[in-house]
Amino acid sequence: MNETLEGTVISIIYESADGYTVAEIEAEEPTIVVGNMPGLKPGERTRFFGAYKNHAKYGTQFAVQSYESALPHDLNDIVLFLSGGFIKGLGEVLATRIVEEFGEDTFDVIENDHRELTRIRGISGRLADSVHEAIKEYEQKKYVYSELMGMGLTARQATAAAAALGDAAAKLVRENPYLLIEHVRGIDFLTADRIALQIGIEECSPFRIKNGILNVLHKVLAQGSTYVHRKRLIPHVAKNLGVAAAEVDRALLMLVWEKKLVLKKYYPDQQAVFLASAYYAETRCAARLFGLARAQEPNRVRNLESLLKKQKKAFSLTDEQQSAVRAAVENRICIITGGPGTGKTTILKAVLNILGGMGLTCSLAAPTGRAAKRMQEATGTQAATLHRLLEYSYDEDEYNCYFRRNEENPLDADAVIVDEVSMLDVYLFHNLLKALPEEARLILVGDADQLPSVGPGNVMGDIIESEIVPCVKLTHRFRNAGGIADAAYDILNGKMPETGDGSFEFRECSSALEVRELLCAEYEAYTKKGEDVQLIAPIKRTDLGTVALNAAVRERINPPKTGKAEIVFGDRTFREGDRVMQIKNNYARAWRNDAELALGEGVFNGDIGTVQRIAAGTVDVLFEDMRRCEYEIQALSELDGAYAYTIHKSQGSEFDVILMPMLYGAQPFLTRNLLYTGVTRAKKKVLIAGSAATLEYMVGNVWQGRRATVLKRELMYLGRLKNGKVD
């Protein structure tokens, strides 16, 4: 329920750089208000809209959604306002003299005849100019914030819009509210559309229709596809917006002319519609991959047969593994795919030995920090995340994120080896290919049976299915691979998993409460044994989703304790000692590594850390790779608990013990490859608790939502073109 609170600002207790403010106001009784209130000054008479909430540590506060403020009228409040510290050189003594001289006309004099201030002892012409400019700037900002909040933006959204669009923000947003989608995090098409209709933008406005089209294509990207058919897109958008199909088609062609969209005919009766960025990412990936696949043999390996024999003897390589090693060293590009226990790590070691013996430098990388760490431990060679390898950076002046490594500044390596390729989306893969040196090898390794990337594209699947790039599929499993590998292969073959060594265990439970209690108890027991344990679940929002499991485990593992600080943000509580995850890419987030005396920027979706300290409104998080970051209150939206997270989030990671709930009924998303991905995250033990019927359903559900992508099609087209077989 929205409530109103009116009063005079007494003091500013805390204000962050992005406008988050804690202030004390004088209303019927002194009250603490919290929220985005940029530029709030002592002495202002303000009306706040929001709701009271009870903070565990600080008591009752008023959480502000929006507010209205005005210059003070009371003489004492005017003194308080002018001496609040935002006008350099003007303290309480001089402010009192000004008010004694001009009384209720003080602001009129400052705005219209500010040189009159020099009549007052202690005020120079320069200070008079400073007072005038400060008040003028204050009123301009207040006008912008007031206008934006009057259109329906919250104070936080108004702050972000003003920061991005400047003093003209209110004018620009009133003309085209859909600008907010691009410039304000958290504002989607529906929010911008509500604001637009509220301020009188017509339903058939080209701004509205074009952004309605872009909204659908961004949703398509979020679901993993890179395009949608024109004949499906037009009626869908027309129906959703309540406009004529012809108007949507006209707006679509305008977007193509503006080079925001691409239309491509792949069949006589079908046109695909792409966001321009997605189309160019896929087609340029295809062109570079095809070039690599058809390139002349790189840095010819002398005495290859002799070297292979040495590696075979050193690592007891099978014929299949030798084929993989040969493909990796003889070709400019190759892809090696296989499940757990097929010897991918051994192959990489042999490849590194051969290339290293030739004096070639190799860069190893993976999509996530955990995957890179695992790769490094397995091979004994330094590995990095792809973002770090490509030197992801943030340009504060341009508000732009970019990779320092690209065509003009390629990687300094003779070979690049990437693990967990199933996780690569087409955008990241495109940037990797751009940074690959002209003569370098690219070796891609992964498990094609795992879930596809969270981001758009089907990179690994499309490359393999195109049959353009040399590919080795590993099928031989080693006897010492362990019971986890046996269980995983049973699942792939549609069989209920069984292991003789107890590494896979299922426990039947009759209720969600029973499952939750069992998994929490097991998590606690394994933690006390010093095991690396992780809870993973198919979904977030149910009684057995990651949100509920996180809260339940945290209360057992890290309960409240005197002296252990905590902070509440929305519906989340962060406590010292908590295991947390970064859930949004933030390329500008500053970090430091005390062990390496290093500084840098960039914290990425999926990074895991621990809350070290909470003090002065900030949360200090130490990530697993020893990067340390400080989060102000408003930035806590980037963090979530990490005692439990989704199976999708677990990709690229490996743990001693995996715990999974399975009590959801027959849901379409409960698929075989989801279960397979979850099981293969474990090194020693998998424990599933729930319903045998659900587990059976997942083993039998081979449905995989087919992504609409063109990387495979473009690769095959280039292959036919090369062979003169294009129709």
Side-chain angles (χ1 to χ4, degrees), residues 674-694:
L674 185 75
L675 178 62
Y676 173 81
T677 301
V679 168
T680 53
R681 299 309 90 208
K683 290 189 287 187
K684 298 179 181 178
K685 171 86 175 183
V686 174
L687 171 60
I688 297 178
S691 162
T694 300

Side-chain angles (χ1 to χ4, degrees), residues 26-37:
E26 186 179 82
E28 292 181 1
E29 57 183 38
T31 305
I32 300 297
V33 295
V34 298
N36 270 82
M37 298 170 283

Side-chain angles (χ1 to χ4, degrees), residues 34 129 276 348 367 605 613:
V34 298
D129 290 342
L348 290 187
N605 190 353
R613 182 170 175 267

Side-chain angles (χ1 to χ4, degrees), residues 424-457:
L424 279 184
D425 65 59
V426 71
Y427 287 117
L428 184 55
F429 189 56
H430 180 221
N431 281 289
L432 170 64
L433 290 176
K434 286 198 295 182
L436 188 72
E438 279 299 320
E439 299 301 319
R441 291 170 172 80
L442 178 61
I443 302 165
L444 304 172
V445 184
D447 184 346
D449 291 310
Q450 287 191 33
L451 294 168
S453 59
V454 174

